[in-house]
C-alpha cells in the first residue's frame, strides 16, 4: 500500500489543525508535520521525502505561490485558501489541486485520491524497465495504460492534457497539467517546444518553418524554446543549421 507523506502549512491555527486531522484520518496518508509559515516548513520539506504539501496561499512574508516555486518537483502541492482569485496562478506552479475554505472532508479526500493516483503512476513507471515503460492516466472514469515510446506529442489545455498516441485515431484526454507530465517524461526523448506542447523527438519527421508536422497537426515552436530546438536539429543534421524560421 502506498503511503503519502504529508505536511500542512497554514498561518491560521484552526484551518491548519482541521487539514491535519483530515490527513490523520485518511488511511494512505502520514502527517509528517504542520507549520504556521513556509519558513518553518522549508527545512523539513527539503530534507525529508515529502509527497504532498497542503499549502495556504495568503501568508505573511513568503506566500504559498512563492513557496511553491522552490519546492522539489517530486513533492506535489494542494493549495488551501479562501481566495478564489489565485486559482489560475495555482495551476501555473503545477498545483495538484486547489481547495476553497471552508474545506469538507469529502473535498479533501478528492484531492488526496488525485495525489494517490499520481504517486501510483510514478511508482509503477519506476518499476518498469526502459524497454517496457508505460504510464497510466485516468480518462473518462477509465484508467488507460500508454506505452511511453508510442506517445507522439502532448497538448496542454488549461487543467487537462491531450495525449496523441501512434496508431490511435483519437487523442486521450486526462485531468493533469502539462508541467506535471513533463516532469515525468524522460527529457532525453521528449522536448517542450511551446507552453502548450511537448513532442517525442524520435517521432519528428517533418519540420516546416516554425512548425513540427505530425500528419494533419502542426505544432508551433515558440520563441522561448526555439534555441534549444534549433540546437537539437543541428546536432542531428548533415548540413549546417540555418534556423527553423528560414
Amino acid at each position: 500500500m502506498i503511503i503519502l507523506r504529508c505536511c500542512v502549512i497554514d498561518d491560521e491555527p484552526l484551518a491548519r489543525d482541521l487539514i491535519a486531522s483530515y490527513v490523520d484520518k485518511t488511511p494512505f496518508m502520514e502527517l509528517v508535520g504542520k507549520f504556521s509559515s513556509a519558513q518553518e516548513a522549508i527545512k523539513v520539506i527539503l530534507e525529508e521525502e515529502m509527497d504532498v504539501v497542503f499549502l495556504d496561499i495568503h501568508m505573511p512574508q513568503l506566500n504559498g505561490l512563492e513557496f511553491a516555486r522552490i519546492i522539489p518537483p517530486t513533492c506535489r502541492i494542494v493549495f488551501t485558501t479562501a481566495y478564489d482569485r489565485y486559482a489560475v496562478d495555482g495551476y501555473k506552479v503545477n498545483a495538484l489541486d486547489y481547495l476553497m475554505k471552508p474545506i469538507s472532508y469529502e473535498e479533501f479526500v478528492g484531492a488526496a485520491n488525485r495525489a494517490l493516483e499520481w504517486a501510483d503512476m510514478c511508482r509503477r513507471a519506476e518499476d518498469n524497465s526502459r524497454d517496457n515503460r508505460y504510464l497510466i492516466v485516468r480518462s473518462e472514469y477509465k484508467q488507460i495504460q500508454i506505452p511511453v515510446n508510442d506517445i507522439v506529442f502532448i497538448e496542454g489545455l488549461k487543467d487537462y492534457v491531450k495525449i496523441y498516441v501512434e496508431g490511435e485515431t483519437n487523442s486521450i484526454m486526462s485531468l493533469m497539467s502539462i508541467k506535471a507530465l513533463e516532469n515525468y517524461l524522460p527529457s532525453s526523448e521528449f522536448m517542450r517546444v511551446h507552453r502548450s506542447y511537448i513532442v517525442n523527438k524520435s517521432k519528428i519527421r517533418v519540420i516546416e518553418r516554425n512548425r513540427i508536422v505530425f500528419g494533419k497537426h502542426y505544432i508551433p515552436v515558440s520563441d522561448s524554446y526555439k534555441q534549444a530546438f534549433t540546437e537539437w536539429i543541428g546536432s542531428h543534421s548533415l548540413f549546417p543549421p540555418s534556423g527553423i524560421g528560414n
Side-chain angles (χ1 to χ4, degrees):
M1 180 180 178
I2 296 177
I3 301 296
L4 300 179
R5 292 168 54 80
C6 312
C7 72
V8 181
I9 307 174
D10 199 312
D11 61 337
E12 300 176 7
L14 292 178
R16 182 171 65 246
D17 290 343
L18 177 65
I19 298 299
S21 72
Y22 287 168
V23 173
D24 283 335
K25 67 189 292 188
T26 304
F28 56 84
M29 288 190 152
E30 174 189 349
L31 182 65
V32 177
K34 52 183 182 178
F35 307 93
S36 60
S37 70
Q39 290 91 327
E40 288 182 11
I42 185 62
K43 186 173 186 296
V44 174
I45 291 175
L46 294 179
E47 293 181 356
E48 302 262 356
E49 291 186 3
M50 199 74 64
D51 297 304
V52 185
V53 175
F54 292 92
L55 178 62
D56 186 23
I57 292 180
H58 195 67
M59 294 187 295
Q61 297 181 325
L62 184 64
N63 70 41
L65 291 171
E66 295 168 337
F67 186 62
R69 295 185 175 92
I70 62 176
I71 291 177
T74 53
C75 182
R76 305 311 307 276
I77 300 164
V78 175
F79 282 120
T80 58
T81 181
Y83 302 92
D84 59 2
R85 67 177 181 271
Y86 292 114
V88 173
D89 292 330
Y91 285 112
K92 286 181 180 178
V93 294
N94 193 25
L96 185 68
D97 213 335
Y98 187 98
L99 300 178
M100 287 291 298
K101 297 176 181 178
I103 300 165
S104 69
Y105 184 59
E106 181 180 3
E107 292 170 323
F108 174 88
V109 169
N113 281 330
R114 288 189 63 190
L116 183 63
E117 289 173 4
W118 173 261
D120 183 55
M121 182 183 74
C122 292
R123 295 183 192 189
R124 282 174 183 265
E126 291 174 0
D127 290 340
N128 285 274
S129 67
R130 183 176 180 82
D131 295 330
N132 190 33
R133 292 169 306 155
Y134 62 88
L135 57 86
I136 296 177
V137 299
R138 183 176 293 277
S139 180
E140 297 181 349
Y141 306 102
K142 297 179 292 186
Q143 293 190 66
I144 301 175
Q145 177 177 303
I146 306 171
V148 170
N149 291 337
D150 290 350
I151 296 173
V152 179
F153 70 94
I154 296 151
E155 180 181 5
L157 301 168
K158 292 187 178 179
D159 306 337
Y160 291 83
V161 294
K162 292 175 72 174
I163 303 171
Y164 293 80
V165 180
E166 193 169 50
E168 298 290 339
T169 304
N170 299 319
S171 62
I172 299 169
M173 183 173 286
S174 181
L175 180 61
M176 182 188 305
S177 73
I178 193 170
K179 180 62 177 176
L181 194 50
E182 181 184 20
N183 289 337
Y184 168 78
L185 295 169
S187 59
S188 60
E189 299 166 44
F190 289 83
M191 175 180 287
R192 188 84 171 262
V193 296
H194 187 277
R195 64 177 299 177
S196 299
Y197 291 99
I198 298 171
V199 299
N200 186 337
K201 292 182 283 188
S202 69
K203 304 297 183 184
I204 296 174
R205 300 290 182 269
V206 178
I207 303 167
E208 180 183 286
R209 298 182 183 274
N210 291 333
R211 302 177 299 178
I212 302 164
V213 183
F214 293 118
K216 296 180 180 179
H217 298 280
Y218 289 78
I219 311 302
V221 180
S222 68
D223 290 342
S224 300
Y225 301 94
K226 187 178 293 185
Q227 181 177 348
F229 188 66
T230 302
E231 290 174 356
W232 176 79
I233 293 174
S235 68
H236 293 80
S237 295
L238 300 180
F239 51 86
S242 57
I244 65 172
N246 299 326

